[in-house]
Amino acid sequence: MSRSGEELFSANQQIVCSVIPSLSHTSHKGQSGRIGVVGGSVEYTGAPYFAAITALKVGADLSYVFCSRESAPIIKSYSPELIVYPYLDSMNAIEEITSLLPKLHSVVIGPGLGRNDRILATVGQIIDKVKELDLPMVLDADALYFVSKCPEIVRGYTKAILTPNAAEFDRLYAAVYRSEPDKSEDPNAALLQLSQTLGNITIVRKGYEDIISDGHSVVNCNETGSPRRCGGQGDLLSGSMGTFAHWSQNAFATKTPSADLSLQTYGPNIVAALGACMLTRRCARLAFQKYARSTTTSDMIAEIKNAFSSLYPVD
Ligand SMILES: *[C@@H]1O[C@H](CO)[C@@H](O)[C@H](O)[C@H]1NC(C)=O
Ligand SMILES: *[C@@H]1O[C@H](CO)[C@@H](O)[C@H](O)[C@H]1NC(C)=O
């Protein structure tokens, strides 16, 4: 029996709902997630803000930004709700940052990072520490530039999720296979292949449809988005994925899959990526209905509440 897109979509919503922690008056601060965002440079202060505030508004309890010294006061001034550490370009960045990583549940690396060599070297060491701590890790933007220079750093780390756009995917593909970018007619097959070559890490290829693979399955997210392509939407995606990645890994680690059939359909990263892709697209659609051509990422963030409760009606 074939399933219609609509039915499949509903099944995906159900799967995402099964990993969202329920809210309880007796839970403690931090239980819904402490998410770190590594990024923020003198040029880019909006991106880490968008990612970190999104992680919080999706439902994490605390959101931390690890950014350069100069960008910190700017990012702090956008929001009193973020905890901002100005250590990314300090002399002892590694010590300062790695001592804080153990309190996090997941880490998003890349929003507004820039391409400064010294900072990218620090990011390499942060990635190594995140792997050692076995934390979920979402890599976007200039962190993907870094990964395309040394793909070995993520190979086989199955708690990593990469979120390349079309150009970033092409660069990564060309770097891994030392070839031209993929030109085949079957983007799903190319994605599955790349994910497997990198040891079954998860890759979310953003585009008209977002395509997600963890090396085992390939899933398309075809929730309707919007035709607006304003900057910052990718930060909403990576920030929300940081929160979903924690929830999903936690649900898989603490529930027996046989107790919850929906957890058997896909692995934890696919569930997290689907959760974030559907949410980001729904935010885009709802904001576009109100603001049309004027829609900006801040308008989308203002729709997180409505998008979340319509897609994922959990308590
Ligand atoms: C990746 O997943 C594929 C498909 O499930 C499997 O055949 C392969 O052995 C896996 N690779 C690694 C390195 O685990
Ligand atoms: C939605 O994605 C599924 C795969 O996950 C695909 O089979 C289906 O054709 C897609 N629907 C549309 C309308 O593109």
Side-chain angles (χ1 to χ4, degrees):
M1 198 179 79
S2 72
R3 295 155 112 188
S4 73
E6 188 65 28
E7 275 165 350
L8 185 72
F9 169 60
S10 301
N12 286 347
Q13 279 173 272
Q14 195 58 47
I15 287 167
V16 174
C17 286
S18 72
V19 304
I20 297 172
S22 52
L23 289 175
S24 148
H25 288 283
T26 57
S27 53
H28 306 293
K29 183 170 77 178
Q31 279 184 345
S32 288
R34 292 184 293 268
I35 314 300
V37 174
V38 178
S41 51
V42 68
E43 295 93 344
Y44 305 112
T45 53
Y49 163 76
F50 288 140
I53 200 76
T54 297
L56 208 53
K57 287 192 179 281
V58 166
D61 289 329
L62 292 164
S63 197
Y64 303 81
V65 176
F66 300 87
C67 59
S68 73
R69 186 177 183 80
E70 276 178 292
S71 62
I74 302 166
I75 297 169
K76 281 180 206 266
S77 76
Y78 295 152
S79 168
E81 288 160 289
L82 306 177
I83 301 160
V84 182
Y85 292 117
Y87 303 145
L88 199 51
D89 56 353
S90 75
M91 289 308 287
N92 44 354
I94 295 302
E95 292 74 29
E96 309 250 37
I97 294 173
T98 56
S99 68
L100 293 163
L101 292 178
K103 67 176 169 185
L104 301 180
H105 294 113
S106 84
V107 185
V108 179
I109 306 178
L113 191 61
R115 293 186 180 178
N116 176 288
D117 284 339
R118 196 161 68 85
I119 289 186
L120 291 181
T122 301
V123 163
Q125 289 178 272
I126 293 173
I127 292 174
D128 284 335
K129 183 68 183 180
V130 170
K131 284 157 60 180
E132 195 184 306
L133 293 166
D134 200 30
L135 295 175
M137 169 164 70
V138 178
L139 295 160
D140 189 34
D142 285 326
L144 294 174
Y145 168 80
F146 177 73
V147 168
S148 68
K149 298 273 174 212
C150 55
E152 289 311 312
I153 197 156
V154 292
R155 190 186 296 268
Y157 186 63
T158 54
K159 287 190 180 173
I161 308 180
L162 276 46
T163 57
N165 59 25
E168 289 161 343
F169 182 86
D170 283 351
R171 190 169 57 214
L172 187 62
Y173 188 97
V176 169
Y177 297 113
R178 299 176 199 286
S179 72
E180 291 296 300
D182 166 58
K183 290 279 186 287
S184 69
E185 294 296 301
D186 189 350
N188 286 26
L191 180 67
L192 180 70
Q193 182 197 18
L194 184 58
S195 171
Q196 291 182 345
T197 301
L198 289 173
N200 293 342
I201 66 168
T202 299
I203 306 176
V204 179
R205 182 178 181 168
K206 299 181 285 191
Y208 171 67
E209 267 189 8
D210 299 323
I211 318 173
I212 306 160
S213 180
D214 62 356
H216 306 289
S217 28
V218 183
V219 182
N220 295 48
C221 172
N222 41 27
E223 164 77 13
T224 310
S226 97
R228 279 283 287 151
R229 290 291 169 268
C230 54
Q233 298 188 31
D235 308 312
L236 203 160
L237 182 73
S238 65
S240 58
M241 214 175 286
T243 300
F244 275 111
H246 161 53
W247 289 347
S248 187
Q249 291 289 349
N250 200 41
F252 276 72
T254 55
K255 288 186 196 176
T256 49
S258 59
D260 193 336
L261 254 185
S262 60
L263 292 185
Q264 291 181 336
T265 314
Y266 301 126
N269 282 353
I270 296 232
V271 178
L274 261 178
C277 288
M278 290 196 287
L279 182 77
T280 301
R281 286 165 169 267
R282 178 76 51 106
C283 286
R285 174 153 63 95
L286 295 177
F288 188 74
Q289 281 166 1
K290 288 186 186 165
Y291 300 105
R293 206 176 282 274
S294 297
T295 307
T296 60
T297 296
S298 298
D299 301 321
M300 289 174 54
I301 289 171
E303 295 298 332
I304 291 175
K305 188 256 163 199
N306 292 329
F308 197 103
S309 55
S310 62
L311 281 167
Y312 313 128
V314 293
D315 314 328

